[in-house]
Amino acid sequence: MPVPLTMYLRPAYRRLIWLALVVACAAAVYAWRGPALSGDAEQAAATLWRKASSPPPPSAEEQQRSQARRADPAAGTGPARPAAVPRKCQLNGQTIYTDGPCPAGSLEQIVPENLSVIAR
Protein backbone atom coordinates (compact mmCIF):
# COMPACT_ATOMS: atom_id res chain seq x y z
CA MET A 1 0.00 0.00 0.00
CA PRO A 2 1.45 3.37 -1.01
CA VAL A 3 2.04 5.97 1.68
CA PRO A 4 0.62 9.47 1.00
CA LEU A 5 3.21 12.16 0.36
CA THR A 6 1.58 14.58 2.79
CA MET A 7 2.25 12.24 5.66
CA TYR A 8 5.96 13.11 5.54
CA LEU A 9 5.42 16.91 5.45
CA ARG A 10 5.04 19.20 8.42
CA PRO A 11 1.58 20.77 8.90
CA ALA A 12 2.92 24.25 8.07
CA TYR A 13 4.29 23.00 4.74
CA ARG A 14 1.00 21.23 3.97
CA ARG A 15 -0.87 24.51 4.50
CA LEU A 16 1.63 26.31 2.29
CA ILE A 17 1.13 23.75 -0.50
CA TRP A 18 -2.67 24.09 -0.26
CA LEU A 19 -2.37 27.88 -0.34
CA ALA A 20 -0.15 27.67 -3.43
CA LEU A 21 -2.72 25.42 -5.13
CA VAL A 22 -5.56 27.82 -4.31
CA VAL A 23 -3.55 30.80 -5.60
CA ALA A 24 -2.67 28.90 -8.80
CA CYS A 25 -6.35 28.04 -9.37
CA ALA A 26 -7.38 31.65 -8.77
CA ALA A 27 -4.71 32.86 -11.22
CA ALA A 28 -5.92 30.36 -13.82
CA VAL A 29 -9.55 31.50 -13.40
CA TYR A 30 -8.50 35.15 -13.67
CA ALA A 31 -6.43 34.45 -16.79
CA TRP A 32 -9.41 32.66 -18.31
CA ARG A 33 -12.28 35.01 -17.32
CA GLY A 34 -10.52 38.12 -15.95
CA PRO A 35 -10.89 40.47 -18.94
CA ALA A 36 -14.58 39.60 -19.32
CA LEU A 37 -15.22 40.15 -15.63
CA SER A 38 -13.39 43.49 -15.58
CA GLY A 39 -15.31 44.58 -18.72
CA ASP A 40 -18.59 43.77 -17.00
CA ALA A 41 -17.48 45.70 -13.92
CA GLU A 42 -16.52 48.74 -16.03
CA GLN A 43 -19.88 48.66 -17.79
CA ALA A 44 -21.74 48.40 -14.48
CA ALA A 45 -19.71 51.29 -13.04
CA ALA A 46 -20.40 53.46 -16.12
CA THR A 47 -24.14 52.73 -15.88
CA LEU A 48 -24.16 53.53 -12.18
CA TRP A 49 -22.27 56.81 -12.80
CA ARG A 50 -24.76 57.85 -15.51
CA LYS A 51 -27.67 57.18 -13.17
CA ALA A 52 -26.02 59.03 -10.28
CA SER A 53 -25.07 62.08 -12.34
CA SER A 54 -28.33 62.52 -14.26
CA PRO A 55 -30.92 64.93 -12.91
CA PRO A 56 -33.95 63.46 -11.13
CA PRO A 57 -37.12 63.00 -13.18
CA PRO A 58 -39.58 65.90 -13.03
CA SER A 59 -42.30 65.75 -10.41
CA ALA A 60 -45.95 65.33 -11.37
CA GLU A 61 -46.57 69.03 -10.69
CA GLU A 62 -43.70 70.09 -12.98
CA GLN A 63 -44.99 67.79 -15.73
CA GLN A 64 -48.48 69.30 -15.47
CA ARG A 65 -47.09 72.85 -15.71
CA SER A 66 -44.96 71.89 -18.71
CA GLN A 67 -47.93 70.29 -20.49
CA ALA A 68 -50.08 73.35 -19.76
CA ARG A 69 -47.43 75.66 -21.24
CA ARG A 70 -47.15 73.52 -24.38
CA ALA A 71 -50.94 73.47 -24.77
CA ASP A 72 -51.28 77.26 -24.32
CA PRO A 73 -48.09 79.10 -25.38
CA ALA A 74 -49.73 82.48 -24.69
CA ALA A 75 -49.81 81.60 -20.98
CA GLY A 76 -46.01 81.34 -20.83
CA THR A 77 -43.66 83.36 -18.68
CA GLY A 78 -43.95 86.55 -20.73
CA PRO A 79 -44.53 88.02 -24.15
CA ALA A 80 -42.52 86.43 -26.94
CA ARG A 81 -40.16 88.89 -28.62
CA PRO A 82 -38.94 88.49 -32.17
CA ALA A 83 -35.20 88.09 -32.60
CA ALA A 84 -33.50 91.48 -32.73
CA VAL A 85 -31.65 92.47 -35.88
CA PRO A 86 -28.04 93.50 -35.19
CA ARG A 87 -27.04 96.97 -36.38
CA LYS A 88 -23.61 98.48 -36.97
CA CYS A 89 -23.38 102.23 -36.29
CA GLN A 90 -20.47 104.65 -36.93
CA LEU A 91 -20.25 107.57 -34.48
CA ASN A 92 -17.20 109.90 -34.33
CA GLY A 93 -14.88 107.22 -35.79
CA GLN A 94 -16.08 104.52 -33.38
CA THR A 95 -18.03 101.43 -34.39
CA ILE A 96 -21.02 100.56 -32.21
CA TYR A 97 -23.01 97.32 -32.52
CA THR A 98 -26.55 97.37 -31.19
CA ASP A 99 -29.84 95.50 -31.54
CA GLY A 100 -31.87 98.71 -31.35
CA PRO A 101 -31.88 101.86 -33.46
CA CYS A 102 -28.56 103.65 -33.98
CA PRO A 103 -27.90 106.66 -31.72
CA ALA A 104 -28.67 110.14 -33.02
CA GLY A 105 -25.93 111.55 -35.26
CA SER A 106 -24.49 108.14 -36.17
CA LEU A 107 -24.39 106.45 -39.56
CA GLU A 108 -25.90 102.97 -39.90
CA GLN A 109 -23.85 100.48 -41.93
CA ILE A 110 -24.75 97.12 -43.44
CA VAL A 111 -24.17 94.08 -41.22
CA PRO A 112 -23.34 90.83 -43.09
CA GLU A 113 -26.14 88.24 -43.02
CA ASN A 114 -23.86 85.44 -41.83
CA LEU A 115 -22.61 87.39 -38.80
CA SER A 116 -22.76 85.12 -35.76
CA VAL A 117 -20.37 86.74 -33.25
CA ILE A 118 -19.94 90.42 -32.57
CA ALA A 119 -16.56 91.48 -31.15
CA ARG A 120 -16.58 93.33 -27.83
Side-chain angles (χ1 to χ4, degrees):
M1 177 152 125
V3 177
L5 180 63
T6 56
M7 187 171 133
Y8 295 109
L9 296 175
R10 293 182 182 170
Y13 290 143
R14 272 188 249 157
R15 281 189 224 112
L16 189 60
I17 289 173
W18 280 112
L19 179 64
L21 285 172
V22 168
V23 168
C25 288
V29 167
Y30 180 76
W32 175 50
R33 294 290 297 162
L37 293 175
S38 65
D40 292 344
E42 287 176 17
Q43 185 179 8
T47 302
L48 183 63
W49 178 255
R50 265 187 258 114
K51 284 183 180 178
S53 61
S54 65
S59 66
E61 181 182 326
E62 290 172 340
Q63 285 180 345
Q64 287 174 350
R65 281 187 300 198
S66 176
Q67 289 171 353
R69 267 182 291 190
R70 276 191 233 121
D72 186 15
T77 57
R81 292 184 3 185
V85 178
R87 297 177 189 213
K88 180 178 179 181
C89 309
Q90 284 288 111
L91 180 64
N92 298 331
Q94 289 184 319
T95 304
I96 302 169
Y97 291 94
T98 181
D99 59 351
C102 286
S106 64
L107 179 64
E108 185 171 344
Q109 296 182 340
I110 298 174
V111 177
E113 288 182 25
N114 60 354
L115 180 69
S116 61
V117 177
I118 296 177
R120 289 188 170 226

mmCIF file of all heavy atoms in Angstrom, residues 36-81:
data_model
loop_
_atom_site.group_PDB
_atom_site.id
_atom_site.type_symbol
_atom_site.label_atom_id
_atom_site.label_comp_id
_atom_site.label_asym_id
_atom_site.label_seq_id
_atom_site.Cartn_x
_atom_site.Cartn_y
_atom_site.Cartn_z
ATOM 1 N N ALA A 36 -13.118 39.515 -19.199
ATOM 2 C CA ALA A 36 -14.576 39.604 -19.322
ATOM 3 C C ALA A 36 -15.195 40.131 -18.034
ATOM 4 O O ALA A 36 -16.118 40.948 -18.062
ATOM 5 C CB ALA A 36 -15.166 38.239 -19.665
ATOM 6 N N LEU A 37 -14.689 39.680 -16.911
ATOM 7 C CA LEU A 37 -15.222 40.147 -15.626
ATOM 8 C C LEU A 37 -14.926 41.618 -15.410
ATOM 9 O O LEU A 37 -15.768 42.369 -14.936
ATOM 10 C CB LEU A 37 -14.659 39.315 -14.473
ATOM 11 C CG LEU A 37 -15.093 37.849 -14.428
ATOM 12 C CD1 LEU A 37 -14.369 37.121 -13.307
ATOM 13 C CD2 LEU A 37 -16.582 37.739 -14.249
ATOM 14 N N SER A 38 -13.718 42.065 -15.774
ATOM 15 C CA SER A 38 -13.392 43.487 -15.580
ATOM 16 C C SER A 38 -14.187 44.348 -16.554
ATOM 17 O O SER A 38 -14.569 45.467 -16.228
ATOM 18 C CB SER A 38 -11.895 43.722 -15.732
ATOM 19 O OG SER A 38 -11.483 43.441 -17.054
ATOM 20 N N GLY A 39 -14.470 43.833 -17.779
ATOM 21 C CA GLY A 39 -15.306 44.578 -18.722
ATOM 22 C C GLY A 39 -16.721 44.747 -18.193
ATOM 23 O O GLY A 39 -17.319 45.812 -18.315
ATOM 24 N N ASP A 40 -17.262 43.683 -17.596
ATOM 25 C CA ASP A 40 -18.594 43.775 -16.997
ATOM 26 C C ASP A 40 -18.604 44.776 -15.848
ATOM 27 O O ASP A 40 -19.557 45.529 -15.683
ATOM 28 C CB ASP A 40 -19.049 42.402 -16.486
ATOM 29 C CG ASP A 40 -19.309 41.419 -17.627
ATOM 30 O OD1 ASP A 40 -19.437 41.874 -18.778
ATOM 31 O OD2 ASP A 40 -19.373 40.203 -17.348
ATOM 32 N N ALA A 41 -17.549 44.765 -15.052
ATOM 33 C CA ALA A 41 -17.477 45.695 -13.919
ATOM 34 C C ALA A 41 -17.390 47.139 -14.414
ATOM 35 O O ALA A 41 -18.019 48.029 -13.844
ATOM 36 C CB ALA A 41 -16.277 45.365 -13.036
ATOM 37 N N GLU A 42 -16.619 47.383 -15.478
ATOM 38 C CA GLU A 42 -16.523 48.736 -16.027
ATOM 39 C C GLU A 42 -17.865 49.202 -16.571
ATOM 40 O O GLU A 42 -18.269 50.353 -16.376
ATOM 41 C CB GLU A 42 -15.472 48.782 -17.139
ATOM 42 C CG GLU A 42 -14.043 48.700 -16.650
ATOM 43 C CD GLU A 42 -13.053 48.660 -17.798
ATOM 44 O OE1 GLU A 42 -13.424 49.017 -18.941
ATOM 45 O OE2 GLU A 42 -11.901 48.277 -17.552
ATOM 46 N N GLN A 43 -18.573 48.309 -17.247
ATOM 47 C CA GLN A 43 -19.879 48.663 -17.793
ATOM 48 C C GLN A 43 -20.870 48.972 -16.668
ATOM 49 O O GLN A 43 -21.636 49.934 -16.742
ATOM 50 C CB GLN A 43 -20.403 47.527 -18.663
ATOM 51 C CG GLN A 43 -21.698 47.852 -19.356
ATOM 52 C CD GLN A 43 -22.175 46.698 -20.227
ATOM 53 O OE1 GLN A 43 -21.612 45.619 -20.196
ATOM 54 N NE2 GLN A 43 -23.212 46.943 -20.995
ATOM 55 N N ALA A 44 -20.845 48.161 -15.612
ATOM 56 C CA ALA A 44 -21.738 48.404 -14.479
ATOM 57 C C ALA A 44 -21.398 49.730 -13.798
ATOM 58 O O ALA A 44 -22.295 50.487 -13.410
ATOM 59 C CB ALA A 44 -21.637 47.254 -13.485
ATOM 60 N N ALA A 45 -20.110 50.028 -13.658
ATOM 61 C CA ALA A 45 -19.706 51.293 -13.037
ATOM 62 C C ALA A 45 -20.132 52.480 -13.897
ATOM 63 O O ALA A 45 -20.589 53.503 -13.372
ATOM 64 C CB ALA A 45 -18.195 51.307 -12.817
ATOM 65 N N ALA A 46 -19.996 52.364 -15.229
ATOM 66 C CA ALA A 46 -20.404 53.460 -16.116
ATOM 67 C C ALA A 46 -21.913 53.688 -16.038
ATOM 68 O O ALA A 46 -22.382 54.829 -16.000
ATOM 69 C CB ALA A 46 -19.984 53.159 -17.549
ATOM 70 N N THR A 47 -22.678 52.609 -15.997
ATOM 71 C CA THR A 47 -24.135 52.734 -15.884
ATOM 72 C C THR A 47 -24.517 53.382 -14.564
ATOM 73 O O THR A 47 -25.373 54.270 -14.513
ATOM 74 C CB THR A 47 -24.794 51.341 -15.993
ATOM 75 O OG1 THR A 47 -24.410 50.762 -17.230
ATOM 76 C CG2 THR A 47 -26.303 51.438 -15.925
ATOM 77 N N LEU A 48 -23.878 52.962 -13.496
ATOM 78 C CA LEU A 48 -24.160 53.535 -12.181
ATOM 79 C C LEU A 48 -23.804 55.015 -12.149
ATOM 80 O O LEU A 48 -24.552 55.829 -11.607
ATOM 81 C CB LEU A 48 -23.384 52.774 -11.102
ATOM 82 C CG LEU A 48 -23.613 53.202 -9.670
ATOM 83 C CD1 LEU A 48 -25.077 52.974 -9.285
ATOM 84 C CD2 LEU A 48 -22.709 52.429 -8.732
ATOM 85 N N TRP A 49 -22.682 55.399 -12.768
ATOM 86 C CA TRP A 49 -22.266 56.808 -12.802
ATOM 87 C C TRP A 49 -23.283 57.640 -13.580
ATOM 88 O O TRP A 49 -23.630 58.743 -13.183
ATOM 89 C CB TRP A 49 -20.880 56.929 -13.428
ATOM 90 C CG TRP A 49 -20.438 58.351 -13.526
ATOM 91 C CD1 TRP A 49 -20.393 59.124 -14.638
ATOM 92 C CD2 TRP A 49 -20.023 59.192 -12.458
ATOM 93 N NE1 TRP A 49 -19.966 60.383 -14.342
ATOM 94 C CE2 TRP A 49 -19.733 60.451 -12.999
ATOM 95 C CE3 TRP A 49 -19.854 58.999 -11.092
ATOM 96 C CZ2 TRP A 49 -19.280 61.505 -12.234
ATOM 97 C CZ3 TRP A 49 -19.404 60.065 -10.333
ATOM 98 C CH2 TRP A 49 -19.124 61.293 -10.906
ATOM 99 N N ARG A 50 -23.765 57.108 -14.736
ATOM 100 C CA ARG A 50 -24.756 57.845 -15.512
ATOM 101 C C ARG A 50 -26.026 58.067 -14.703
ATOM 102 O O ARG A 50 -26.614 59.140 -14.729
ATOM 103 C CB ARG A 50 -25.083 57.087 -16.798
ATOM 104 C CG ARG A 50 -24.251 57.574 -17.971
ATOM 105 C CD ARG A 50 -24.687 56.951 -19.279
ATOM 106 N NE ARG A 50 -23.733 55.891 -19.595
ATOM 107 C CZ ARG A 50 -24.021 54.599 -19.641
ATOM 108 N NH1 ARG A 50 -25.228 54.183 -19.471
ATOM 109 N NH2 ARG A 50 -23.096 53.722 -19.899
ATOM 110 N N LYS A 51 -26.459 57.046 -13.975
ATOM 111 C CA LYS A 51 -27.670 57.181 -13.167
ATOM 112 C C LYS A 51 -27.466 58.183 -12.039
ATOM 113 O O LYS A 51 -28.352 58.973 -11.719
ATOM 114 C CB LYS A 51 -28.080 55.829 -12.583
ATOM 115 C CG LYS A 51 -28.725 54.912 -13.580
ATOM 116 C CD LYS A 51 -29.171 53.632 -12.904
ATOM 117 C CE LYS A 51 -29.821 52.684 -13.871
ATOM 118 N NZ LYS A 51 -30.210 51.423 -13.223
ATOM 119 N N ALA A 52 -26.277 58.142 -11.420
ATOM 120 C CA ALA A 52 -26.019 59.026 -10.280
ATOM 121 C C ALA A 52 -25.853 60.478 -10.708
ATOM 122 O O ALA A 52 -26.196 61.388 -9.960
ATOM 123 C CB ALA A 52 -24.770 58.558 -9.538
ATOM 124 N N SER A 53 -25.335 60.709 -11.928
ATOM 125 C CA SER A 53 -25.072 62.082 -12.336
ATOM 126 C C SER A 53 -26.206 62.703 -13.143
ATOM 127 O O SER A 53 -26.161 63.891 -13.450
ATOM 128 C CB SER A 53 -23.777 62.138 -13.154
ATOM 129 O OG SER A 53 -23.900 61.353 -14.318
ATOM 130 N N SER A 54 -27.215 61.938 -13.507
ATOM 131 C CA SER A 54 -28.328 62.516 -14.263
ATOM 132 C C SER A 54 -29.305 63.203 -13.304
ATOM 133 O O SER A 54 -29.440 62.800 -12.159
ATOM 134 C CB SER A 54 -29.048 61.445 -15.079
ATOM 135 O OG SER A 54 -29.656 60.513 -14.216
ATOM 136 N N PRO A 55 -29.982 64.235 -13.781
ATOM 137 C CA PRO A 55 -30.924 64.933 -12.907
ATOM 138 C C PRO A 55 -32.128 64.042 -12.596
ATOM 139 O O PRO A 55 -32.452 63.136 -13.368
ATOM 140 C CB PRO A 55 -31.345 66.149 -13.721
ATOM 141 C CG PRO A 55 -31.094 65.774 -15.131
ATOM 142 C CD PRO A 55 -29.931 64.823 -15.110
ATOM 143 N N PRO A 56 -32.785 64.286 -11.482
ATOM 144 C CA PRO A 56 -33.946 63.463 -11.131
ATOM 145 C C PRO A 56 -35.096 63.742 -12.111
ATOM 146 O O PRO A 56 -35.165 64.811 -12.715
ATOM 147 C CB PRO A 56 -34.307 63.931 -9.726
ATOM 148 C CG PRO A 56 -33.757 65.304 -9.633
ATOM 149 C CD PRO A 56 -32.516 65.318 -10.494
ATOM 150 N N PRO A 57 -35.982 62.778 -12.275
ATOM 151 C CA PRO A 57 -37.117 63.004 -13.178
ATOM 152 C C PRO A 57 -38.013 64.106 -12.618
ATOM 153 O O PRO A 57 -38.076 64.324 -11.411
ATOM 154 C CB PRO A 57 -37.831 61.655 -13.201
ATOM 155 C CG PRO A 57 -37.382 60.949 -11.976
ATOM 156 C CD PRO A 57 -36.014 61.466 -11.658
ATOM 157 N N PRO A 58 -38.719 64.810 -13.501
ATOM 158 C CA PRO A 58 -39.577 65.900 -13.025
ATOM 159 C C PRO A 58 -40.743 65.354 -12.196
ATOM 160 O O PRO A 58 -41.227 64.253 -12.422
ATOM 161 C CB PRO A 58 -40.077 66.550 -14.313
ATOM 162 C CG PRO A 58 -39.897 65.528 -15.363
ATOM 163 C CD PRO A 58 -38.754 64.665 -14.942
ATOM 164 N N SER A 59 -41.173 66.156 -11.243
ATOM 165 C CA SER A 59 -42.301 65.754 -10.408
ATOM 166 C C SER A 59 -43.592 65.851 -11.213
ATOM 167 O O SER A 59 -43.630 66.425 -12.303
ATOM 168 C CB SER A 59 -42.392 66.659 -9.175
ATOM 169 O OG SER A 59 -42.716 67.972 -9.584
ATOM 170 N N ALA A 60 -44.657 65.305 -10.681
ATOM 171 C CA ALA A 60 -45.952 65.333 -11.368
ATOM 172 C C ALA A 60 -46.417 66.775 -11.568
ATOM 173 O O ALA A 60 -46.969 67.127 -12.620
ATOM 174 C CB ALA A 60 -46.983 64.544 -10.572
ATOM 175 N N GLU A 61 -46.164 67.627 -10.578
ATOM 176 C CA GLU A 61 -46.566 69.035 -10.686
ATOM 177 C C GLU A 61 -45.810 69.738 -11.812
ATOM 178 O O GLU A 61 -46.393 70.474 -12.606
ATOM 179 C CB GLU A 61 -46.298 69.734 -9.357
ATOM 180 C CG GLU A 61 -46.697 71.194 -9.342
ATOM 181 C CD GLU A 61 -46.356 71.851 -8.006
ATOM 182 O OE1 GLU A 61 -46.440 71.172 -6.966
ATOM 183 O OE2 GLU A 61 -46.009 73.036 -8.041
ATOM 184 N N GLU A 62 -44.487 69.474 -11.919
ATOM 185 C CA GLU A 62 -43.698 70.089 -12.982
ATOM 186 C C GLU A 62 -44.158 69.596 -14.354
ATOM 187 O O GLU A 62 -44.207 70.368 -15.318
ATOM 188 C CB GLU A 62 -42.217 69.774 -12.793
ATOM 189 C CG GLU A 62 -41.598 70.478 -11.610
ATOM 190 C CD GLU A 62 -40.187 69.986 -11.333
ATOM 191 O OE1 GLU A 62 -39.831 68.876 -11.779
ATOM 192 O OE2 GLU A 62 -39.444 70.712 -10.661
ATOM 193 N N GLN A 63 -44.504 68.331 -14.464
ATOM 194 C CA GLN A 63 -44.994 67.795 -15.735
ATOM 195 C C GLN A 63 -46.315 68.450 -16.138
ATOM 196 O O GLN A 63 -46.516 68.784 -17.298
ATOM 197 C CB GLN A 63 -45.167 66.284 -15.638
ATOM 198 C CG GLN A 63 -43.870 65.526 -15.660
ATOM 199 C CD GLN A 63 -44.080 64.029 -15.560
ATOM 200 O OE1 GLN A 63 -45.160 63.569 -15.206
ATOM 201 N NE2 GLN A 63 -43.042 63.270 -15.875
ATOM 202 N N GLN A 64 -47.190 68.659 -15.165
ATOM 203 C CA GLN A 64 -48.475 69.305 -15.471
ATOM 204 C C GLN A 64 -48.263 70.739 -15.946
ATOM 205 O O GLN A 64 -48.894 71.185 -16.909
ATOM 206 C CB GLN A 64 -49.388 69.286 -14.240
ATOM 207 C CG GLN A 64 -49.949 67.919 -13.928
ATOM 208 C CD GLN A 64 -50.730 67.908 -12.622
ATOM 209 O OE1 GLN A 64 -50.700 68.883 -11.869
ATOM 210 N NE2 GLN A 64 -51.399 66.802 -12.338
ATOM 211 N N ARG A 65 -47.374 71.475 -15.287
ATOM 212 C CA ARG A 65 -47.094 72.850 -15.713
ATOM 213 C C ARG A 65 -46.503 72.882 -17.114
ATOM 214 O O ARG A 65 -46.866 73.721 -17.937
ATOM 215 C CB ARG A 65 -46.132 73.522 -14.734
ATOM 216 C CG ARG A 65 -46.809 74.007 -13.476
ATOM 217 C CD ARG A 65 -45.859 74.786 -12.650
ATOM 218 N NE ARG A 65 -44.740 73.896 -12.309
ATOM 219 C CZ ARG A 65 -43.879 74.104 -11.340
ATOM 220 N NH1 ARG A 65 -43.949 75.182 -10.628
ATOM 221 N NH2 ARG A 65 -42.926 73.256 -11.078
ATOM 222 N N SER A 66 -45.590 71.948 -17.399
ATOM 223 C CA SER A 66 -44.964 71.887 -18.711
ATOM 224 C C SER A 66 -45.997 71.576 -19.795
ATOM 225 O O SER A 66 -45.998 72.196 -20.864
ATOM 226 C CB SER A 66 -43.864 70.833 -18.711
ATOM 227 O OG SER A 66 -43.313 70.702 -19.989
ATOM 228 N N GLN A 67 -46.894 70.634 -19.520
ATOM 229 C CA GLN A 67 -47.926 70.291 -20.492
ATOM 230 C C GLN A 67 -48.884 71.467 -20.702
ATOM 231 O O GLN A 67 -49.326 71.726 -21.814
ATOM 232 C CB GLN A 67 -48.687 69.051 -20.042
ATOM 233 C CG GLN A 67 -47.863 67.783 -20.151
ATOM 234 C CD GLN A 67 -48.533 66.600 -19.508
ATOM 235 O OE1 GLN A 67 -49.573 66.736 -18.853
ATOM 236 N NE2 GLN A 67 -47.941 65.425 -19.667
ATOM 237 N N ALA A 68 -49.186 72.193 -19.639
ATOM 238 C CA ALA A 68 -50.079 73.353 -19.765
ATOM 239 C C ALA A 68 -49.423 74.439 -20.604
ATOM 240 O O ALA A 68 -50.079 75.086 -21.427
ATOM 241 C CB ALA A 68 -50.433 73.887 -18.387
ATOM 242 N N ARG A 69 -48.129 74.662 -20.441
ATOM 243 C CA ARG A 69 -47.430 75.660 -21.241
ATOM 244 C C ARG A 69 -47.389 75.272 -22.709
ATOM 245 O O ARG A 69 -47.535 76.106 -23.581
ATOM 246 C CB ARG A 69 -46.001 75.849 -20.736
ATOM 247 C CG ARG A 69 -45.897 76.967 -19.725
ATOM 248 C CD ARG A 69 -44.487 77.121 -19.336
ATOM 249 N NE ARG A 69 -44.215 75.903 -18.567
ATOM 250 C CZ ARG A 69 -43.139 75.667 -17.854
ATOM 251 N NH1 ARG A 69 -42.187 76.503 -17.827
ATOM 252 N NH2 ARG A 69 -42.994 74.571 -17.169
ATOM 253 N N ARG A 70 -47.176 73.965 -22.989
ATOM 254 C CA ARG A 70 -47.154 73.524 -24.375
ATOM 255 C C ARG A 70 -48.536 73.652 -25.012
ATOM 256 O O ARG A 70 -48.655 73.971 -26.183
ATOM 257 C CB ARG A 70 -46.681 72.070 -24.455
ATOM 258 C CG ARG A 70 -45.184 71.972 -24.464
ATOM 259 C CD ARG A 70 -44.742 70.568 -24.804
ATOM 260 N NE ARG A 70 -43.836 70.161 -23.745
ATOM 261 C CZ ARG A 70 -44.009 69.124 -22.957
ATOM 262 N NH1 ARG A 70 -45.036 68.337 -23.110
ATOM 263 N NH2 ARG A 70 -43.154 68.843 -22.021
ATOM 264 N N ALA A 71 -49.579 73.394 -24.242
ATOM 265 C CA ALA A 71 -50.945 73.473 -24.770
ATOM 266 C C ALA A 71 -51.351 74.916 -25.032
ATOM 267 O O ALA A 71 -52.052 75.210 -25.990
ATOM 268 C CB ALA A 71 -51.919 72.819 -23.794
ATOM 269 N N ASP A 72 -50.900 75.851 -24.181
ATOM 270 C CA ASP A 72 -51.279 77.256 -24.321
ATOM 271 C C ASP A 72 -50.017 78.116 -24.272
ATOM 272 O O ASP A 72 -49.618 78.587 -23.198
ATOM 273 C CB ASP A 72 -52.244 77.641 -23.193
ATOM 274 C CG ASP A 72 -52.793 79.052 -23.374
ATOM 275 O OD1 ASP A 72 -52.666 79.601 -24.490
ATOM 276 O OD2 ASP A 72 -53.353 79.590 -22.406
ATOM 277 N N PRO A 73 -49.351 78.330 -25.413
ATOM 278 C CA PRO A 73 -48.093 79.096 -25.379
ATOM 279 C C PRO A 73 -48.287 80.545 -24.952
ATOM 280 O O PRO A 73 -47.364 81.176 -24.475
ATOM 281 C CB PRO A 73 -47.578 79.013 -26.819
ATOM 282 C CG PRO A 73 -48.672 78.453 -27.648
ATOM 283 C CD PRO A 73 -49.696 77.862 -26.733
ATOM 284 N N ALA A 74 -49.496 81.093 -25.095
ATOM 285 C CA ALA A 74 -49.725 82.482 -24.687
ATOM 286 C C ALA A 74 -49.667 82.628 -23.173
ATOM 287 O O ALA A 74 -49.457 83.723 -22.654
ATOM 288 C CB ALA A 74 -51.078 82.955 -25.202
ATOM 289 N N ALA A 75 -49.834 81.535 -22.441
ATOM 290 C CA ALA A 75 -49.805 81.596 -20.979
ATOM 291 C C ALA A 75 -48.407 81.355 -20.438
ATOM 292 O O ALA A 75 -48.237 80.949 -19.299
ATOM 293 C CB ALA A 75 -50.765 80.559 -20.406
ATOM 294 N N GLY A 76 -47.391 81.573 -21.241
ATOM 295 C CA GLY A 76 -46.008 81.337 -20.829
ATOM 296 C C GLY A 76 -45.541 82.356 -19.809
ATOM 297 O O GLY A 76 -46.318 83.066 -19.181
ATOM 298 N N THR A 77 -44.236 82.481 -19.691
ATOM 299 C CA THR A 77 -43.664 83.360 -18.676
ATOM 300 C C THR A 77 -43.745 84.834 -19.053
ATOM 301 O O THR A 77 -43.629 85.689 -18.194
ATOM 302 C CB THR A 77 -42.196 82.990 -18.426
ATOM 303 O OG1 THR A 77 -41.497 83.075 -19.662
ATOM 304 C CG2 THR A 77 -42.084 81.600 -17.851
ATOM 305 N N GLY A 78 -43.885 85.144 -20.323
ATOM 306 C CA GLY A 78 -43.950 86.549 -20.727
ATOM 307 C C GLY A 78 -44.185 86.643 -22.212
ATOM 308 O O GLY A 78 -44.276 85.639 -22.908
ATOM 309 N N PRO A 79 -44.286 87.871 -22.726
ATOM 310 C CA PRO A 79 -44.533 88.020 -24.154
ATOM 311 C C PRO A 79 -43.327 87.566 -24.964
ATOM 312 O O PRO A 79 -42.185 87.808 -24.591
ATOM 313 C CB PRO A 79 -44.783 89.518 -24.313
ATOM 314 C CG PRO A 79 -44.113 90.150 -23.147
ATOM 315 C CD PRO A 79 -44.174 89.130 -22.036
ATOM 316 N N ALA A 80 -43.600 86.886 -26.064
ATOM 317 C CA ALA A 80 -42.524 86.430 -26.937
ATOM 318 C C ALA A 80 -42.050 87.609 -27.776
ATOM 319 O O ALA A 80 -42.852 88.334 -28.349
ATOM 320 C CB ALA A 80 -43.022 85.299 -27.834
ATOM 321 N N ARG A 81 -40.721 87.796 -27.835
ATOM 322 C CA ARG A 81 -40.161 88.893 -28.623
ATOM 323 C C ARG A 81 -39.498 88.320 -29.853
ATOM 324 O O ARG A 81 -38.833 87.295 -29.779
ATOM 325 C CB ARG A 81 -39.109 89.641 -27.806
ATOM 326 C CG ARG A 81 -39.674 90.389 -26.653
ATOM 327 C CD ARG A 81 -38.639 91.186 -25.912
ATOM 328 N NE ARG A 81 -37.305 91.130 -26.484
ATOM 329 C CZ ARG A 81 -36.244 91.673 -25.942
ATOM 330 N NH1 ARG A 81 -36.354 92.297 -24.805
ATOM 331 N NH2 ARG A 81 -35.074 91.594 -26.505
#
